[in-house]
Amino acid sequence: MVRAVFEAKQASYRYPDGRAGITDASLAVAEGESLVVVGANASGKSTLIQLLGGLIFPASGEVCAFGEPLTESALARPDANARFRRRVGILFQEAEAMLFNPSVRDEIAFGPLQLDLPQDDVRRRVDDMIALFRLAAIADRPPHRLSGGEQRKVALAAILAVSPEALLLDEPTSGLDPRSQRWFVEFMQELRAMGKTLVTTTHDLHVADEIADRIVVLSEQHTIAAEGPRHDILTDLDLLLSVNLVHEHTHIHDGVIHLHPHTHLHLHDHHNGNHR
Amino acid sequence: MLPDWVADTAPLRSAPRSVSERSIARTLRESARFLEQALSAEQVARRPGLLQRLDPRAKAASIVGLILVAAFLHHMLSLLLIAAFAVLAAAQSRVRPAELLNRVWLLVPAVFAVVALPAALDLVTPGSPLLVIVRLDRAPSIGPLHLPAEISLTRQGVAAAGLVVTRILLGVLLAVALALTTRWQDLLKAGYSTVTAPFILILAMMYRYLFVLIRVIEDMHLARRARTIAPGTAALERQWVGSRIGALFLRSHRLSERVHDAMRARGYTGSPKTLTQFRFGAREGVWVTACAMIAAAALVCDRVVWAGLAW
């Protein structure tokens, strides 16, 4: 039986101002699985990532990681915190907040250094990441001088430098130009093939189609509206319409106004290359 | 359904006054621009030159050493010897004299007014008069304070003031040479130690996010300008600036929370660690030896060779 890396049991979270972040969320993410969380804006995707990443804690319900309850008191223990942070990497939606070091090189070194890896190991990891992500030309530049795509790449290199088992990726492709977006999707596919556990949030159904094994759909009421295999979710237009992930499209044929759900999604069959 | 008036361009009810920026908005915009230019002036630090190639720690330590030695020198010629060495090193680092000296000259009026002028007066440094500045019929008294009837510059005062000013300007010259040829992040790293680590981390983050906030200020300003048809009153302008300061504070607070989350997510528990890249090779050895020799030469000349000279 494949063990669950993350598990949420009826977890709810409210922000200090009373807004609901997520309500009664129950889900499990198996080891090596690529789970995509889709939902409209403000549906609770980032809140879910923060809960699974041990940055906020549920007001009710429970979140577990690697079979252990993920609580504030558990992460207050330095050994447990270091163990968890070594195993889980989080890519934030805003790269700006993630890149707080004076140079790209320092940014990549930050995580391994906090986890007390020897300096020589850290240097080797930094050099490897710079080579892997082709960052040599910008390695000594401050992050605020980089383009959006470069910033996102540096942020990903920074979390991979710790070599986590699981990655929580919050809207990794939003706001990127098509080439950068393509690069990211292909990189996530490589991570998935490598056996890393991925939890990715997005409202882009094309991205979900390309990287998901399973999809969780969040409603605008911050609850889990559905979960299931990629194909089942992405072909359920009524579901996608109800959670504001596709829209009703009005157009005229022969003088008659038609109204129907609209999506540009063409599903891939990853096994035989067919398109639907 | 869009309201009908959206289709029409509203006529102006009166001819607009000239849209010139109010001083507060202009000050805000230009301060932001100046700050960004000043902080991002790293072109000199990127040139391939003598000082740029040195390890920042070796460079910072040797330059601080020279500044300390300068503080103990009593003769102008000894100070000029170190200044000549600094200018020569800067020239070898492809720093144009104007780039170096312009930053030093900026301080001259302030140093002159605050330090040199009072020190040259007989009120502070008694001695043989050189130039009488004020001569009164009788000595004035202010309460228990009795002033002389004549206030003048003294020969000894001018010599002491000249020495102090030269010493200060030499310190500034050396510090500017260090700052110009070292990138900010390297300069910060040069001061890194277990004790200074938290301060260095805060400084580095302040420096890094200053640019983000400058960009936010510029965006706010541009958004307002894009919607300004006629200039508002000075009171409205002040109200706007006040509200933007509040908005900026809230935004920086939210940003700081997100940054802290990102730090925690990568294992930060309150004790910063950094990649130490201290290298002390042959180049650094030659440089530190040269600095030590100049410092020793200046001290020997100051105490032995030029001991009998007044300056």
Side-chain angles (χ1 to χ4, degrees):
Chain A
M1 186 183 160
V2 183
R3 72 176 176 144
V5 172
F6 296 109
E7 209 172 346
K9 297 168 191 164
Q10 293 189 303
S12 297
Y13 179 82
R14 272 188 182 278
Y15 287 100
D17 60 7
R19 280 179 302 125
I22 194 100
T23 307
D24 275 340
S26 294
L27 59 88
V29 188
E31 189 174 11
E33 184 182 28
S34 174
L35 179 82
V36 172
V37 180
V38 294
N41 290 342
S43 58
K45 300 187 295 291
S46 298
T47 310
L48 187 60
I49 289 285
Q50 287 178 309
L51 278 172
L52 297 179
L55 295 174
I56 55 175
F57 302 94
S60 63
E62 190 182 34
V63 174
C64 295
F66 306 100
E68 303 281 330
L70 199 57
T71 61
E72 203 159 5
S73 57
L75 288 183
R77 293 198 310 272
D79 57 327
N81 183 60
R83 209 167 42 241
F84 177 73
R85 298 299 171 202
R86 193 184 281 248
R87 297 173 87 176
V88 178
I90 307 174
L91 183 75
F92 286 71
Q93 190 175 350
E94 283 174 274
E96 193 89 271
M98 258 198 83
L99 306 179
F100 44 81
N101 282 286
S103 75
V104 168
R105 196 179 291 278
D106 291 313
E107 199 62 64
I108 299 172
F110 185 88
L113 283 169
Q114 302 311 308
L115 300 175
D116 281 330
L117 295 182
Q119 291 258 335
D120 285 344
D121 277 5
V122 175
R123 270 194 204 95
R124 187 168 49 79
R125 286 185 183 212
V126 171
D127 290 343
D128 288 349
M129 284 295 126
I130 286 173
L132 177 68
F133 286 84
R134 298 182 183 175
L135 301 172
I138 56 168
D140 294 311
R141 278 171 63 183
H144 66 266
R145 296 278 174 80
L146 307 180
S147 68
E150 286 172 333
Q151 286 193 347
R152 209 68 70 85
K153 261 188 189 181
V154 172
L156 187 58
I159 59 167
L160 278 182
V162 181
S163 186
E165 292 171 36
L167 287 113
L168 303 171
L169 310 168
D170 194 4
E171 302 265 12
T173 57
S174 72
L176 294 182
D177 59 53
R179 192 185 300 155
S180 304
Q181 198 172 54
R182 192 67 239 153
W183 183 92
F184 254 86
V185 168
E186 285 171 7
F187 197 84
M188 285 188 280
Q189 286 170 335
E190 276 185 49
L191 290 172
R192 183 179 165 211
M194 197 184 271
K196 298 277 185 195
T197 305
L198 301 179
V199 179
T200 311
T201 67
T202 184
H203 52 237
D204 186 332
L205 299 181
H206 295 94
V207 172
D209 178 37
E210 294 204 69
I211 61 169
D213 293 321
R214 208 156 52 84
I215 294 180
V216 164
V217 183
L218 292 183
S219 70
E220 289 180 290
Q221 289 72 44
H222 317 285
T223 57
I224 292 182
E227 72 167 289
R230 173 179 58 87
H231 187 270
D232 293 357
I233 297 289
L234 294 181
T235 51
D236 188 344
L237 286 183
D238 288 339
L239 168 69
L240 298 178
L241 189 62
S242 72
V243 295
N244 192 17
L245 282 168
V246 296
H247 58 274
E248 283 197 314
H249 182 63
T250 310
H251 61 168
I252 302 176
H253 282 307
D254 301 327
V256 180
I257 298 175
H258 293 259
L259 186 71
H260 61 78
H262 180 74
T263 175
H264 293 287
L265 189 65
H266 300 282
L267 296 183
H268 291 72
D269 184 331
H270 291 285
H271 297 293
N272 54 25
N274 290 339
H275 294 249
R276 281 196 51 210
Chain B
M1 196 72 166
L2 291 171
D4 294 340
W5 55 262
V6 174
D8 301 326
T9 304
L12 289 170
R13 286 164 64 190
S14 59
R17 288 171 288 157
S18 64
V19 184
S20 63
E21 282 182 277
R22 290 267 175 200
S23 60
I24 300 172
R26 195 167 56 236
T27 307
L28 192 70
R29 180 173 56 83
E30 287 180 359
S31 307
R33 189 175 295 170
F34 170 76
L35 201 58
E36 177 150 26
Q37 281 171 357
L39 290 175
S40 62
E42 289 185 344
Q43 297 93 332
V44 180
R46 290 180 198 282
R47 290 177 199 158
L50 170 71
L51 291 173
Q52 290 89 336
R53 288 198 184 99
L54 291 172
D55 179 87
R57 285 195 181 193
K59 183 167 48 176
S62 53
I63 287 180
V64 170
L66 285 178
I67 293 172
L68 286 175
V69 168
F72 291 101
L73 298 177
H74 298 129
H75 290 277
M76 191 81 86
L77 287 172
S78 326
L79 293 168
L80 290 177
L81 178 68
I82 295 182
F85 175 72
V87 171
L88 188 68
Q92 289 300 309
S93 309
R94 303 188 183 204
V95 180
R96 286 188 288 277
E99 287 171 325
L100 192 65
L101 298 177
N102 283 349
R103 287 165 171 82
V104 179
W105 296 144
L106 276 176
L107 279 175
V108 170
V111 172
F112 184 78
V114 177
V115 181
L117 197 59
L121 297 175
D122 56 0
L123 293 172
V124 178
T125 315
S128 48
L130 197 65
L131 178 71
V132 176
I133 295 178
V134 179
R135 181 174 286 146
L136 301 169
D137 294 338
R138 58 189 184 89
S141 299
I142 306 166
L145 189 68
H146 301 287
L147 295 172
E150 192 177 280
I151 298 175
S152 57
L153 293 176
T154 63
R155 195 176 300 280
Q156 291 81 352
V158 170
L163 190 67
V164 172
V165 169
T166 312
R167 204 179 272 157
I168 291 172
L169 293 182
L170 174 60
V172 174
L173 179 77
L174 288 164
V176 168
L178 172 67
L180 270 179
T181 58
T182 318
R183 290 176 316 152
W184 251 92
Q185 62 258 38
D186 294 335
L187 205 54
L188 288 173
K189 268 191 182 175
Y192 188 88
S193 72
T194 318
V195 179
T196 57
F199 306 105
I200 298 290
L201 183 78
I202 291 167
L203 269 176
M205 288 176 68
M206 272 172 58
Y207 172 71
R208 188 245 172 285
Y209 283 104
L210 209 50
F211 289 96
V212 177
L213 296 177
I214 287 171
R215 211 183 309 139
V216 173
I217 293 171
E218 281 181 341
D219 287 349
M220 284 174 175
H221 177 73
L222 285 174
R224 182 160 195 260
R225 254 181 93 75
R227 288 160 59 198
T228 301
I229 295 168
T233 60
L236 276 174
E237 197 78 9
R238 284 194 296 275
Q239 200 178 11
W240 179 78
V241 170
S243 73
R244 292 308 86 197
I245 289 171
L248 194 64
F249 177 76
L250 288 175
R251 197 152 171 177
S252 61
H253 179 66
R254 277 199 298 271
L255 182 62
S256 68
E257 283 184 343
R258 286 197 294 271
V259 171
H260 187 241
D261 277 348
M263 293 174 80
R264 281 167 59 212
R266 283 155 71 190
Y268 180 73
T269 52
S271 32
K273 301 170 181 96
T274 188
L275 202 56
T276 50
Q277 291 167 307
F278 185 45
R279 59 171 202 278
F280 196 92
R283 189 180 287 134
E284 283 75 22
V286 170
W287 166 256
V288 171
T289 309
C291 287
M293 286 170 67
I294 284 293
L299 278 170
V300 169
C301 290
D302 194 75
R303 300 294 153 90
V304 182
V305 183
W306 297 320
L309 293 178
W311 289 65

